[in-house]
Amino acid sequence: MKTILSIALVLLALYLVSEAHAVQVQVQEGDFVFSLESVKKLQELTESSSVNGKQNPHLASTSFASVCANPSLPQEFMPLCMQRGASMSLSRLATMPIDICEICAFVACTGC
């Protein structure tokens, strides 16, 4: 009986741990909601398009236009890319502190 109870507790613990990893952190920007993984991909794309880690503010809209045209950009950003003023929203997402968002200490992040 103790063996069955021990096995049941171990299985329950494994189930709870696997469910904890299934929770998806969401990032909200205005009316749009994106997965944290997609925001990480956006940040990778914007870092590769900036020079020396610094982006010229005068070229920001051009840079984000090229990011929106990049086939590696997750599709969930396409509605935002179609919006007027998308470069400002994409800029905020690209500079968002991911490490703080992963622990849900950032107001735009939910789902922890």
Side-chain angles (χ1 to χ4, degrees):
M1 183 67 163
K2 289 182 182 179
T3 305
I4 293 172
L5 183 59
S6 297
I7 292 172
L9 287 174
V10 168
L11 290 175
L12 177 64
L14 288 173
Y15 172 76
L16 291 174
V17 168
S18 68
E19 284 297 308
H21 291 287
V23 173
Q24 186 175 3
V25 177
Q26 301 279 312
V27 179
Q28 183 170 358
E29 171 58 28
D31 294 335
F32 298 96
V33 178
F34 307 101
S35 69
L36 183 60
E37 293 304 315
S38 293
V39 174
K40 286 180 183 180
K41 182 66 177 174
L42 171 68
Q43 289 184 350
E44 289 172 15
L45 291 172
T46 57
E47 286 172 5
S48 67
S49 68
S50 63
V51 178
N52 297 329
K54 302 257 182 189
Q55 189 167 13
N56 184 338
H58 299 292
L59 299 176
S61 61
T62 304
S63 298
F64 284 112
S66 65
V67 168
C68 284
N70 190 322
S72 299
L73 184 70
Q75 289 296 309
E76 64 184 294
F77 287 108
M78 287 305 135
L80 176 61
C81 286
M82 304 279 188
Q83 295 290 318
R84 186 169 195 205
S87 61
M88 290 302 297
S89 294
L90 291 168
S91 175
R92 283 190 293 271
L93 289 168
T95 58
M96 187 186 73
I98 293 293
D99 54 338
I100 293 174
C101 198
E102 287 178 333
I103 59 171
C104 286
F106 195 68
V107 79
C109 305
T110 59
C112 296

